[in-house]
């Protein structure tokens, strides 16, 4: 799965390994994957302040001048000018590590709406809602804090028993049992479309199972990194102590597990290489996997997972899997057991009683700077959204945009695609042969908006009233079985990889689809009542961003049908790479925080998408007679367009979160997502009369799409 999302939720950045759901704390796939807002160890209080802000945004169409910093000129630093007033006057809520004027505000608003839906279900007031009882029981058990606290660490017994029974011979079956319950360890196995035949699902083995956010965290030796390593080791020691070990033993176990993870991390593929489809495409049959990594019975593992036989497997990280096989031969059984106990504890701590939950939060605090935990109800709304997202979404979409707004949104997408077709002939670096195929690819894009055309089936998901922990495991097991069942079958092109309430969007290169859930089709991104120029600048740019992902350094390698093929002529590849190199250099020069630079290579795909997105949206606005004639708040239509763009990215972020993001997030920091593309745009200079020498005018502009 190689989905490219518009943004990454703070919580999704925290864990390095992948599982099917995010309930148990492992949400960032090693290959760029769907990025949902997972249920995390926190969850805040709905204070009066954010609620008021939510209401204000929901009502106010058009631009808000109070957001601006009038003391900074647009041509000096547009992000500061456009967002400075807001940044100064908007503290980050204690229960958040970052706060964005668009994403966070809409997300809070969505959560309130989802809460109201769930409260009604719990009170049995909404008869006739599909899976209403299951959702009510799932939510009800999750919010029963007293019962969760009374049970302490007892719910862990079953999982611990599985690890206790581990022998040299049954490691494959033990791992399969843990993976099936959402507990990560060593690697993950799931479905992926065959890179060369995107119509078929094959198996996929992906590295995973470490507790720091990324492999590099084990090796960085600056002061801040060392502090995080220490915080993680303390977290492990405290969890072991809570599970019944004596303090000294708990401390020793934590050190052992940390060393164990570091030895795994050594062989893991880094995040820049993971973006390269060629490097993570290694299809083989089971015999070849067994020959590649003979220290582990993959056959026994797959059989325990009930994976279909005879289906090809993609080994995403060949060197890691080889090293893992050797590791299994040398690590003592007791070390493997301690490592797996640590995985169980870190994956489940936030689903257990307060002492466990407190430890999970202390570690999260060290990583993100978040000051206070979110209220439990928010965490529980997140749980239902993760576990039964398409059931919860059905009443949600009725209360938001609904199907009525679909036509207008689709019209906007069509105008963005038309802009791409208009620009393709103007690209001097592209030859006609490649251009013809690029046209084919644009015309083949499938767009999905608001909600899936076919809702998911949750029959067989066993939810019990009053047993939160069992429900979480049941949801993981249900999802894990669903994922494994996809292997060996045709790709289901109707499936969505984000639930409709998510404030996000994505492009999937392997199905050549763009998806815009109901969650993001709200102010300030979009409102039918907004000036059209503002809609183009905000949601139009998002649409252009997703479309450009089909043509970024990664997406361009997939053809109109989603197959990884070399459809570009060598000369055209050279032209593209030269232009992309300009963007790598531009963003690599930006300093995100302290001495940490933006990683120009890691963020290339997103930066290309932002730059292409703003170009396409501007072109589409100028093609629309009504949009190019109507501004807002006294600004010209062109200025309105650029303000609406910037206003969607105004963000305040804690320093810890800034560091976490710059080290792991393929998206650039918000300031550079705005200023980076705009400094390359003659249209921006013209709109604000900027001249050479101004901060917002780059001498050597980058132009790609
Ligand atoms: Zn993106």
């Amino acid at each position: 799965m190689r989905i490219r999302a518009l943004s990454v939720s703070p919580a999704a950045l925290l864990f390095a390994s992948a599982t099917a759901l995010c309930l148990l704390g492992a949400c960032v796939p090693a290959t760029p994957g769907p990025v949902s807002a997972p249920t995390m160890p926190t969850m805040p209080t709905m204070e009066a302040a954010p609620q008021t802000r939510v209401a204000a945004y929901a009502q106010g169409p058009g631009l808000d001048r109070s957001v601006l910093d009038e003391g900074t000129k647009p041509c000096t630093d547009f992000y500061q000018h456009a967002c400075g007033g807001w940044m100064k006057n908007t503290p980050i809520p204690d229960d958040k590590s970052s706060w964005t004027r668009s994403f966070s505000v809409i997300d809070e608003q969505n959560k309130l709406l989802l809460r109201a839906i769930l409260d009604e279900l719990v009170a049995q007031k909404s008869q006739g809602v599909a899976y209403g009882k299951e959702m009510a029981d799932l939510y009800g058990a999750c919010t029963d804090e007293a019962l969760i606290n009374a049970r302490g660490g007892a719910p862990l017994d079953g999982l611990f028993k599985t690890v206790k029974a581990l022998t040299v011979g049954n490691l494959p079956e033990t791992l399969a049992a843990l993976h099936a319950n959402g507990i990560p360890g060593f690697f993950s196995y799931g479905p992926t479309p065959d890179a060369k035949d995107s119509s078929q699902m094959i198996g996929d083995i992906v590295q995973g199972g470490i507790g720091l956010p990324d492999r590099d965290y084990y090796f960085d030796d600056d002061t801040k990194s060392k502090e995080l390593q220490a915080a993680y080791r303390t977290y492990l020691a405290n969890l072991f102590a809570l599970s019944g070990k004596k303090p000294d033993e708990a401390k020793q176990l934590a050190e052992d597990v940390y060393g164990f993870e570091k030895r795994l991390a050594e062989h893991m593929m880094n995040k820049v290489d993971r973006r390269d489809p060629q490097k993570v495409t290694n299809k083989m049959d089971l015999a070849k996997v067994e020959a590649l990594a003979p220290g582990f019975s993959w056959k026994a593992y797959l059989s325990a997972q009930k994976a279909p036989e005879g289906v090809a497997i993609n080994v995403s990280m060949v060197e890691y899997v080889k090293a893992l096989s050797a590791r299994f031969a040398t690590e003592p059984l007791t070390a493997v057991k301690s490592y797996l106990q640590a995985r169980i504890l870190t994956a489940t701590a936030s689903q257990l009683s307060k002492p466990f939950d407190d430890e999970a939060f202390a570690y999260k605090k060290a990583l993100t700077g978040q000051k206070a935990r979110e209220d439990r109800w928010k965490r529980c709304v997140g749980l239902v959204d993760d576990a039964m997202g398409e059931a919860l979404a059905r009443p949600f979409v009725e209360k938001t945009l609904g199907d009525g707004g679909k036509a207008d949104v689709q019209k906007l997408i069509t105008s963005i695609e038309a802009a791409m077709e208009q620009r393709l002939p103007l690209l001097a670096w592209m030859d006609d042969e490649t251009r013809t195929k690029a046209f084919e690819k644009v015309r083949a894009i499938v767009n999905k908006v608001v909600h899936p055309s076919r809702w998911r089936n949750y029959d067989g998901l066993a939810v019990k009233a009053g047993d939160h922990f069992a429900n979480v495991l049941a949801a993981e097991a249900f999802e894990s079985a669903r994922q494994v069942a996809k292997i060996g079958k045709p790709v289901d092109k109707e499936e969505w990889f984000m639930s409709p309430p998510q404030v996000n969007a994505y492009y999937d290169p392997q199905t050549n689809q763009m998806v815009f859930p109901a969650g993001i089709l709200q102010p300030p991104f979009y409102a039918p009542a907004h000036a059209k120029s503002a809609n183009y600048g905000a949601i139009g740019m998002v649409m252009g961003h997703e479309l450009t992902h089909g043509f970024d350094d990664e997406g361009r390698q997939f053809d109109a049908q989603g197959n990884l093929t070399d459809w570009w002529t060598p000369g055209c590849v050279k032209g593209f790479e030269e232009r992309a190199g300009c963007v790598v250099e531009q963003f690599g020069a930006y300093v995100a925080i302290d001495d940490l630079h933006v990683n120009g290579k890691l963020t290339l795909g997103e930066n290309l998408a932002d730059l292409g997105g703003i170009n396409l949206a501007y072109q589409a606005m100028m093609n629309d007679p009504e949009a190019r004639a109507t501004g807002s708040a006294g600004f010209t239509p062109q200025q309105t367009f650029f303000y609406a763009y910037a206003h969607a990215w105004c963000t305040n972020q804690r320093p810890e979160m800034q560091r976490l993001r710059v080290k792991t997030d393929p998206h650039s920091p918000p300031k550079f997502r705005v200023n980076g593309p705009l400094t390359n745009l003659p249209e921006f200079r013209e709109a604000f009369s900027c001249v050479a020498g101004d901060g917002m005018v780059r001498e050597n502009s980058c132009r790609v799409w």
Side-chain angles (χ1 to χ4, degrees):
M1 213 58 68
R2 308 193 59 79
I3 287 163
R4 311 309 314 268
L6 179 67
S7 74
V8 177
S9 73
L13 294 169
L14 299 186
F15 295 90
S17 47
T19 54
L21 277 189
C22 295
L23 306 183
L24 292 180
C27 285
V28 175
T31 45
V35 187
S36 63
T39 312
M40 281 302 305
T42 62
M43 299 312 168
T45 358
M46 197 62 226
E47 298 151 295
Q51 209 161 358
T52 316
R53 280 201 295 274
V54 167
Y57 282 107
Q59 289 156 10
L63 295 180
D64 176 359
R65 272 187 180 263
S66 74
V67 171
L68 309 184
D69 165 11
E70 306 270 11
T72 302
K73 293 198 176 79
C75 295
T76 306
D77 177 344
F78 190 64
Y79 178 77
Q80 176 60 35
H81 165 75
C83 295
W86 180 90
M87 290 194 290
K88 191 167 156 236
N89 296 320
T90 313
I92 304 169
D94 282 354
D95 60 5
K96 296 284 185 294
S97 51
S98 84
W99 188 256
T100 303
R101 187 176 176 265
S102 54
F103 293 94
S104 313
V105 174
I106 303 173
D107 187 57
E108 291 289 296
Q109 189 182 329
N110 287 354
K111 280 208 176 83
L112 285 170
L113 193 52
L114 295 172
R115 182 195 196 180
I117 292 167
L118 288 165
D119 281 344
E120 280 195 7
L121 290 176
V122 169
Q124 297 184 315
K125 279 183 191 159
S126 291
Q127 300 300 330
V129 172
Y131 303 107
K133 181 172 178 346
E134 286 83 356
M135 287 192 281
D137 287 346
L138 186 60
Y139 183 71
C142 178
T143 50
D144 192 345
E145 207 167 351
L147 187 57
I148 290 168
N149 284 335
R151 289 189 179 156
L156 289 173
D157 289 353
L159 292 167
F160 276 168
K161 219 181 262 172
T162 304
V163 173
K164 212 174 161 197
L166 176 70
T167 63
V168 174
N170 71 8
L171 179 62
E173 292 80 3
T174 305
L175 275 186
L178 294 175
H179 289 176
N181 279 299
I183 308 295
F186 297 112
F187 63 89
S188 67
Y189 170 75
T192 187
D194 184 340
K196 303 286 168 70
D197 175 8
S198 65
S199 68
Q200 284 298 316
M201 280 292 193
I202 59 171
D204 192 20
I205 296 171
V206 179
Q207 69 186 25
I210 52 174
L212 280 166
D214 188 62
R215 69 167 301 282
D216 293 354
Y217 276 76
Y218 292 84
F219 309 106
D220 291 342
D221 61 358
D222 55 287
T223 316
K224 295 274 178 205
S225 300
K226 281 184 174 161
E227 280 169 19
L228 285 178
Q229 291 160 5
Y232 178 52
R233 293 203 300 267
T234 304
Y235 176 40
L236 287 175
N238 292 351
L239 287 179
F240 274 120
L242 283 171
S243 75
K245 308 286 184 205
K246 294 202 177 76
D248 280 357
E249 194 192 349
K251 224 172 154 194
Q252 188 56 49
L253 280 170
E255 295 305 315
D256 293 348
V257 168
Y258 184 81
F260 189 99
E261 287 182 23
K262 193 172 176 178
R263 292 194 292 280
L264 290 181
E266 221 172 277
H267 304 287
M268 287 185 163
M269 191 186 275
N270 71 48
K271 53 192 175 300
V272 171
D273 286 345
R274 296 200 298 266
R275 288 193 64 249
D276 184 340
Q278 303 293 347
K279 288 192 174 137
V280 295
T281 298
N282 309 288
K283 183 183 156 183
M284 54 189 85
D285 61 17
L286 177 58
K288 183 104 187 282
V289 180
E290 297 242 287
L292 182 78
F296 181 75
S297 174
W298 298 94
K299 191 164 188 280
Y301 172 84
L302 295 181
S303 153
Q305 277 280 24
K306 299 193 178 62
E309 281 177 37
V311 178
I313 298 167
N314 181 57
V315 178
S316 287
M317 293 87 190
V318 167
E319 291 311 314
Y320 174 77
V321 164
K322 273 190 330 234
L324 190 60
S325 160
R327 184 69 60 204
F328 285 138
T330 55
E331 295 282 0
L333 197 61
T334 49
V336 177
K337 282 188 179 178
S338 305
Y339 164 78
L340 291 175
Q341 281 166 355
R343 294 280 66 76
I344 292 172
L345 286 164
T346 53
T348 59
S350 61
Q351 312 292 346
L352 291 163
S353 60
K354 190 166 183 301
F356 288 90
D357 199 16
D358 284 348
E359 295 304 330
F361 181 67
Y363 177 50
K364 185 180 187 190
K365 192 174 180 179
L367 281 173
T368 68
Q370 187 177 319
K371 288 186 175 159
R373 221 176 316 218
E374 285 189 303
D375 268 357
R376 179 162 277 275
W377 72 263
K378 280 193 201 173
R379 165 193 333 209
C380 297
V381 164
L383 169 70
V384 184
D385 184 42
D386 269 340
M388 307 187 68
E390 288 191 18
L392 184 56
R394 286 155 83 164
F396 173 84
V397 294
E398 279 165 29
K399 288 175 197 275
T400 52
L401 187 68
D403 288 330
K406 257 189 183 176
D408 188 40
V409 171
Q410 265 153 348
K411 222 159 80 188
L412 269 170
I413 298 173
T414 306
S415 77
I416 300 293
E417 289 171 346
M420 184 70 173
E421 292 196 25
Q422 204 177 345
R423 291 175 71 87
L424 279 177
L426 308 175
L427 303 174
W429 53 272
M430 184 166 254
D431 54 62
D432 287 342
E433 201 183 328
T434 312
R435 200 185 326 269
T436 305
K437 291 185 174 144
F439 267 108
E440 273 171 34
K441 184 165 179 177
V442 178
R443 286 170 188 161
I445 293 176
V446 171
N447 302 304
K448 297 171 173 175
V449 297
V450 185
H451 64 79
S453 54
R454 186 196 68 216
W455 293 106
R456 265 190 61 192
N457 182 319
Y458 294 97
D459 291 355
L461 170 55
V463 178
K464 280 191 267 182
D467 198 342
H468 171 61
F469 198 85
N471 288 344
V472 170
L473 292 191
E476 289 285 356
F478 182 78
E479 179 62 9
S480 172
R482 185 178 83 95
Q483 293 296 340
V484 171
K486 291 181 192 174
I487 298 168
K489 294 198 183 128
V491 170
D492 173 9
K493 301 203 170 172
E494 295 300 312
E495 183 177 10
W496 280 47
F497 299 105
M498 261 173 205
S499 74
Q502 298 289 320
V503 190
N504 213 333
Y506 69 83
Y507 172 77
D508 176 8
Q510 290 179 286
T511 52
N512 197 21
Q513 294 184 348
M514 296 198 283
V515 179
F516 304 95
I520 199 167
L521 300 171
Q522 301 185 70
F525 281 109
Y526 169 76
H530 279 182
K532 282 185 98 178
S533 49
N535 278 337
Y536 277 106
I539 197 70
M541 180 274 170
V542 170
M543 291 162 176
H545 171 104
E546 299 307 340
L547 194 154
T548 308
H549 270 315
F551 300 87
D552 71 16
D553 59 319
E554 189 185 3
R556 70 160 193 86
Q557 300 184 56
F558 295 83
D559 66 15
Q561 284 71 45
N563 292 319
L564 185 60
T565 38
D566 210 357
W567 56 274
W568 291 49
T569 60
C572 192
V573 171
K574 195 164 165 273
F576 173 83
E577 282 177 350
E578 274 168 20
R579 277 153 188 83
C582 174
V583 177
V584 173
E585 209 176 301
Q586 180 191 353
F587 282 80
Y590 291 136
V591 174
I593 177 169
D594 303 333
D595 57 347
L596 276 181
H597 279 248
V598 173
N599 183 335
K601 282 189 178 152
L602 175 66
T603 58
L604 176 60
E606 296 300 334
N607 296 333
L608 288 171
D610 284 341
L611 180 56
I614 196 72
N615 274 324
L616 292 177
Y618 189 87
Q619 177 95 51
M621 173 192 69
M622 294 305 281
N623 288 342
D624 182 330
E626 189 194 329
R628 66 169 186 257
T630 328
S632 176
F635 295 115
T636 69
Q638 289 76 13
Q639 290 170 339
T640 300
F641 172 90
F642 290 115
Y643 278 119
Y645 168 45
H647 285 172
W649 298 101
C650 299
T651 302
N652 279 325
Q653 220 164 55
R654 300 194 193 281
E656 293 86 347
M657 194 60 189
Q658 289 179 38
R659 301 184 74 87
L660 177 66
R661 279 192 183 274
V662 77
K663 289 173 86 167
T664 57
D665 187 350
H667 303 87
S668 293
K671 172 178 175 172
F672 304 122
R673 290 194 75 168
V674 174
N675 285 356
L678 294 186
T679 50
N680 290 315
L681 253 61
E683 295 85 351
F684 174 81
R685 283 165 218 166
E686 204 180 301
F688 291 93
S689 309
C690 306
V691 294
D694 283 340
M696 290 301 296
V697 179
R698 267 174 70 79
E699 208 175 309
N700 300 309
S701 292
C702 303
R703 281 192 89 78
V704 189
W705 294 106

